[in-house]
Amino acid sequence: MRIAIVHDHLGFRGGGERTALLLALHLKADFITAYARADTFSQYQKKLGIRLIKFSTRALKTRVIRFFWLRLIFWRRRKIFKNYDILIASGQTATEAVANFSRPNAIKIVYTHSTPRRVFDQYELSRLMYPLILRPAYALFARFWKGRYLKAIKKFDVNIANSENVRQRIRNHTGGEANYVIWPPILTNEFKWQADGDYFFSWGRVDESKRIELIVRAFKKMPREKLVVASGGPRLKKVREIAGAAKNINIIGWVSDNTLKDLAGKCRAAIYIPMDEDAGITHLEANATGKPYLGVREGGLIESTDDGRTGILIKADPDENDIISAVKKMTPDWCRERRKDCEDHAKKYGAEKFMAQMDRVIKDNSPGRLILGIDASRCEDPRFPGEEKRTGVEIYSMNIISFLIEAAGKKNIRVRLYTPRRIAYFPSAIQKVIPGGKGWTRRMLVDELKNSPPNFFFTPAYYIPKNAPKKSFAVIHDVIFKTHPGVYSFMERLSQKHALEKNLKRAEKIITVSEHTKNELTRHCRVSAEKVVSIPMAYKSRGDIERKKARKKQIIYIGRIEKKKSVDVLIKAFGKFMKKSGGLSARLKPLSGWKLVLAGKPGYGYESIIRLIRELNLADHVRLVGFVKEEEKWGLLAESSLFIHPSSLEGSSIPLYEAFDAGIPAIAADIPVMRENGRDAVLFFKPGDKNDLAEKITKLTSDDILRKNLTANGSKALKGLSWENAAESILSIIAG
């Protein structure tokens, strides 16, 4: 297994450069970079030896020209990237190179120090730095850069953020998701306490973002407090001009690693107040020496500082007075008392921990492990993105994926979930978040399967897209759009027809959730029975349901409010039941006290159902509660006395199992799939017959023994259902 660490360049000594070099040494990987200055961590370059691959012996410093020059020299040597099984990109040019030039089946990992903020949240600030005449050109350049970056970042199998702060940047700027957060390594065995010095120490790079100029101005107002600045950068000359002849300020410039560690180990405290730093390691290196630091309440420093114990955070966007006030608090005694707290805190970010976490990432994503790619976009209703709304299909998808992850882990198969947005209840490590809206499967998922093909592909609720592997599998829940086309709109029929045709063409096996659906599929779709496998719908009982709660005179229906579900038949039958039981008098007063609760989203024909309720004078007796969240749904089930599933067109019925679980007797249409699922736990009525349904409602509401028997049988029926078994059966079909 050949591994390469790819970094933009070794043009200066920064945290990103050291992190990449240390990782290459630990993994015994090749280190690929554009160029390397001899004084950039020379000891690590020497240890790498022939594994250090430099594309150029010179460097360009002009920003825009360097942007294109770096990409050109990576492009010229693009063939080298085909030699590696795992490539870890560090830096934005490296990110583009690894994304575009590596093999499709290579594992592509990006360690994100930051997104290119000059084209995202700092775009306007960057644009204003250019003369007015050049700003339109910069706008075009930024648009070009942003497009290249967004296209590249989507091609990675694994994205590692160096802090929670950067993870949030990734979400905000790309719409994607970091799979892991792993902080850069701190060399706690090299940064050590040496003495209690009398100076504050700064070694952040001297540029616009580190606020070194502000620090120097503040210390000019504190002649009794000493400051040492040991770093360089584009603003070094300006910083020296500001310091002038101040005797308490010593601007040294770049120093050797040993000198830097010596200065850090002997200072009173460090000072590090960068602008919205992505992560930052300077303050943690200070902590490793047993010294607290003066920081700022911005960026990654917020999450990596124990304010008051390992340092003091001044307010965001600080001024000189904020620095002066903090320095006054950081007396020699105050700093000395925090030595152990600082040293202990730094150990949490030690190099050993970093390497162990990276080893784990590589092990989890080893090229030797088979990959099961799963379309997880149907874990919520795609018409309501981010709202956690689910009907039966989405509930099935969520549960079967959860247990497939577990089953695949037992077989050492790696799961990769494709989703347009982060799914909170699945591990981030296995999610490939590909942002996109309408046409996501056709446009976004197709590209992903081409760039990083899995060994197997499974969709629990939609269709198999182009570029999916030969070993692809799909679940078909029903084919009602073919057997009863009139209950769907024209566009819904087209959509379901398209999905079915793609699945029949591309699937190695089709999975159905009932024998009834399998039979319908083979009968109406010219597919051989050998290609279709029936794996029954599963269910997992909830342990927190209040099943003995006092019941209201309440009948509940759960599902979309549409004619396809025979909700109109239910309303008509309920009207007849109310008249027969005295629920509706001539003056329309509710004498019996019964209510019908309809819980679900509006569907096709919803308006006609509303009119029907009004025509039958049932507005005071029917509650339309709309879509309900999980806890609200279970609250309604717990207080209801009767569940009705009137639909004569179903592939399965999770709400029926939920009624069993809640201890509610159920009535359902007498159709094959309900017989298959409900058996002796359901009182059946003739499909579409409002009179028969009304009779069954009357019978069940008046017969205590029947209600108890059905409830007991429903509880028994659930014991034979298992998501674990269903997932293992599906996985055995997929992976053998």
Side-chain angles (χ1 to χ4, degrees):
M1 185 170 67
R2 295 195 64 187
I3 303 176
I5 309 298
V6 186
H7 189 73
D8 288 4
H9 60 80
L10 297 176
F12 50 81
R13 294 199 308 272
E17 286 69 32
R18 187 168 66 190
T19 297
L21 286 164
L22 287 170
L23 184 59
L25 289 169
H26 173 74
L27 296 175
K28 296 180 174 57
D30 288 350
F31 188 94
I32 299 174
T33 192
Y35 62 89
R37 282 177 44 171
D39 61 347
T40 301
F41 301 112
S42 56
Q43 71 277 28
Y44 300 145
Q45 292 190 47
K46 185 176 180 180
K47 287 181 180 179
L48 281 169
I50 61 171
R51 289 190 282 112
L52 175 60
I53 301 170
K54 297 177 286 186
F55 291 161
S56 176
T57 57
R58 64 192 183 100
L60 293 180
K61 295 183 178 180
T62 306
R63 281 185 173 179
V64 174
I65 295 175
R66 185 175 66 176
F67 176 93
F68 292 102
W69 176 75
L70 285 171
R71 284 153 180 80
L72 176 62
I73 60 175
F74 272 94
W75 177 80
R76 283 178 174 172
R77 297 290 301 276
R78 62 190 179 278
K79 290 182 180 180
I80 194 173
F81 298 100
K82 304 290 185 185
N83 298 330
Y84 297 96
D85 305 299
I86 297 178
L87 298 101
I88 303 176
S90 168
Q92 288 153 20
T93 307
T95 296
E96 293 176 26
V98 170
N100 296 325
F101 307 143
S102 55
R103 302 193 314 265
N105 62 345
I107 302 301
K108 297 175 283 293
I109 301 172
V110 57
Y111 187 83
T112 304
H113 301 280
S114 183
T115 56
R117 299 180 63 194
R118 293 180 63 202
V119 300
F120 289 109
D121 59 311
Q122 293 181 354
Y123 166 72
E124 193 59 32
L125 179 65
S126 298
R127 189 180 69 88
L128 294 174
M129 290 174 62
Y130 290 88
L132 191 62
I133 194 171
L134 293 179
R135 289 176 189 174
Y138 178 75
L140 290 174
F141 167 71
R143 184 175 180 181
F144 170 75
W145 185 2
K146 183 178 180 179
R148 283 181 64 91
Y149 176 76
L150 290 176
K151 186 177 180 180
I153 203 70
K154 291 176 183 177
K155 295 181 180 180
F156 280 86
D157 304 300
V158 179
N159 192 337
I160 304 171
N162 70 355
S163 63
E164 287 293 341
N165 184 46
V166 167
R167 166 178 267 177
Q168 192 59 50
R169 285 207 215 292
I170 292 168
R171 290 172 182 164
N172 294 341
H173 296 168
T174 74
E177 176 67 22
N179 302 100
Y180 306 86
V181 172
I182 301 177
W183 269 75
I186 305 302
L187 301 179
T188 54
N189 61 329
E190 296 182 21
F191 282 86
K192 295 182 178 180
W193 183 92
Q194 295 186 42
D196 289 323
D198 61 352
Y199 57 90
F200 284 78
F201 185 37
S202 168
W203 66 97
R205 192 169 63 254
V206 185
D207 62 21
E208 300 93 338
S209 68
K210 303 299 183 182
R211 295 189 175 116
I212 308 298
E213 295 165 46
L214 180 64
I215 295 170
V216 171
R217 287 192 179 97
F219 272 82
K220 281 193 75 174
K221 295 181 178 180
M222 297 183 288
R224 294 185 179 180
E225 298 291 353
K226 296 180 181 179
L227 171 68
V228 174
V229 178
S231 58
R235 303 290 292 180
L236 182 60
K237 182 179 178 181
K238 182 65 175 178
V239 166
R240 282 182 168 146
E241 289 175 1
I242 295 169
K247 294 181 180 180
N248 65 317
I249 301 174
N250 185 9
I251 312 294
I252 302 175
W254 290 118
V255 296
S256 68
D257 273 5
N258 289 336
T259 300
L260 187 148
K261 293 166 188 174
D262 186 60
L263 287 167
K266 293 178 180 178
C267 70
R268 185 205 301 180
I271 181 165
Y272 186 58
I273 55 169
M275 293 181 183
D276 198 14
E277 182 70 285
D278 300 300
I281 62 173
T282 297
H283 59 302
L284 296 171
E285 289 173 341
N287 284 166
T289 68
K291 308 302 174 71
Y293 85 103
L294 192 164
V296 61
R297 193 171 294 281
E298 296 179 18
L301 276 63
I302 297 172
E303 64 188 88
S304 56
T305 302
D306 189 343
D307 195 9
R309 290 183 66 245
T310 65
I312 290 178
L313 295 180
I314 58 179
K315 72 178 185 182
D317 193 18
D319 57 28
E320 295 165 20
N321 291 328
D322 296 313
I323 297 173
I324 293 169
S325 296
V327 168
K328 288 179 179 179
K329 294 177 184 177
M330 301 177 77
T331 64
D333 288 342
W334 187 93
C335 293
R336 191 180 302 112
E337 289 169 1
R338 279 149 182 78
R339 175 179 170 182
K340 187 175 187 308
D341 288 338
C342 290
E343 291 173 341
D344 290 345
H345 183 68
K347 290 176 184 176
K348 299 176 184 177
Y349 302 89
E352 297 81 5
K353 183 173 182 179
F354 171 83
M355 298 307 172
Q357 289 174 305
M358 292 300 295
D359 285 342
R360 183 66 189 177
V361 170
I362 290 172
K363 181 180 179 181
D364 288 346
N365 296 278
S366 168
R369 296 180 66 192
L370 296 174
I371 302 172
L372 169 59
I374 302 177
D375 179 358
S377 64
R378 286 331 194 250
C379 283
E380 63 176 12
D381 193 319
R383 294 171 296 181
F384 304 94
E387 296 184 26
E388 297 279 323
K389 291 186 176 182
R390 298 182 186 89
T391 59
V393 170
E394 288 83 32
I395 292 171
Y396 173 86
S397 297
M398 180 180 66
N399 281 288
I400 202 65
I401 290 173
S402 296
F403 288 92
L404 270 174
I405 293 169
E406 185 178 328
K410 294 176 182 177
K411 290 194 171 187
N412 198 34
I413 295 173
R414 182 155 52 99
V415 171
R416 183 180 292 162
L417 302 183
Y418 307 113
T419 170
R421 65 196 60 82
R422 177 174 172 266
I423 304 173
Y425 42 83
F426 290 142
S428 293
I430 64 173
Q431 294 187 52
K432 182 59 188 289
V433 178
I434 315 166
K438 190 174 182 181
W440 177 84
T441 303
R442 173 175 49 83
R443 297 185 296 113
M444 307 301 178
L445 186 53
V446 163
D447 287 345
E448 168 62 24
L449 295 174
K450 179 181 179 181
N451 293 327
S452 299
N455 301 96
F456 315 103
F457 180 81
F458 172 72
T459 177
Y462 201 34
Y463 74 88
I464 300 167
K466 183 181 176 183
N467 294 334
K470 289 184 178 180
K471 285 190 167 293
S472 290
F473 306 82
V475 175
I476 293 178
H477 294 261
D478 63 61
V479 289
I480 297 170
F481 82 95
K482 289 187 74 71
T483 59
H484 296 79
V487 300
Y488 287 95
S489 68
F490 175 72
M491 292 306 296
E492 285 177 322
R493 291 198 302 273
L494 279 182
S495 175
Q496 293 208 33
K497 180 176 183 292
H498 172 77
L500 179 61
E501 287 175 350
K502 297 301 181 187
N503 285 334
L504 294 179
K505 178 181 178 182
R506 295 170 178 163
E508 183 173 291
K509 291 282 186 181
I510 295 291
I511 298 165
T512 64
V513 295
S514 67
E515 283 293 330
H516 169 69
T517 299
K518 177 180 177 178
N519 294 336
E520 292 286 89
L521 188 63
T522 55
R523 183 180 301 119
H524 296 282
C525 301
R526 297 181 181 178
V527 56
S528 65
E530 291 74 21
K531 188 173 182 174
V532 186
V533 181
S534 170
I535 298 177
M537 179 68 70
Y539 187 80
K540 184 176 182 179
S541 293
R542 288 177 59 123
D544 58 348
I545 304 172
E546 196 175 348
R547 294 177 177 85
K548 295 183 180 180
K549 185 176 180 178
R551 305 285 182 173
K552 296 179 181 179
K553 287 188 172 183
Q554 181 170 291
I555 299 169
I556 187 169
Y557 160 82
I558 299 173
R560 280 195 298 274
I561 313 302
E562 59 185 359
K563 294 188 73 173
K564 169 195 167 185
K565 298 288 188 179
S566 299
V567 176
D568 56 335
V569 175
L570 171 57
I571 291 168
K572 291 174 184 176
F574 179 68
K576 286 184 171 293
F577 160 72
M578 291 291 280
K579 286 182 179 179
K580 189 171 183 178
S581 63
L584 292 177
S585 68
R587 295 183 180 179
L588 304 178
K589 291 183 179 179
L591 302 180
S592 69
W594 282 94
K595 298 280 186 180
L596 173 62
V597 175
L598 303 178
K601 298 176 298 183
Y604 185 58
Y606 177 77
E607 293 78 9
S608 64
I609 290 170
I610 297 299
R611 287 196 299 271
L612 179 62
I613 292 172
R614 291 172 184 157
E615 290 168 3
L616 297 178
N617 296 314
L618 291 171
D620 292 335
H621 311 283
V622 177
R623 286 177 60 202
L624 286 156
V625 297
F627 175 84
V628 292
K629 293 184 177 180
E630 280 296 295
E631 293 309 312
E632 187 180 355
K633 176 180 71 177
W634 286 101
L636 290 170
L637 285 166
E639 67 184 23
S640 297
S641 296
L642 177 61
F643 171 83
I644 298 180
H645 195 83
S647 176
S648 58
L649 304 172
E650 289 295 329
S652 62
S653 176
I654 288 178
L656 180 64
Y657 293 152
E658 291 174 335
F660 291 169
D661 201 8
I664 309 173
I667 299 174
D670 193 358
I671 57 175
V673 70
M674 288 297 115
R675 283 283 181 182
E676 186 179 334
N677 294 338
R679 301 179 185 179
D680 60 353
V682 174
L683 183 62
F684 292 101
F685 75 97
K686 186 177 179 181
D689 191 331
K690 62 187 178 187
N691 296 318
D692 190 33
L693 177 54
E695 290 293 331
K696 294 302 191 296
I697 295 172
T698 301
K699 181 177 182 179
L700 198 52
T701 56
S702 59
D703 191 332
D704 290 341
I705 295 176
L706 178 59
R707 286 202 303 275
K708 289 179 181 178
N709 288 339
L710 291 178
T711 300
N713 291 341
S715 181
K716 292 177 184 177
L718 293 180
K719 292 179 180 178
L721 303 175
S722 166
W723 286 112
E724 290 93 340
N725 292 343
E728 288 174 2
S729 297
I730 290 174
L731 190 62
S732 67
I733 293 169
I734 294 173

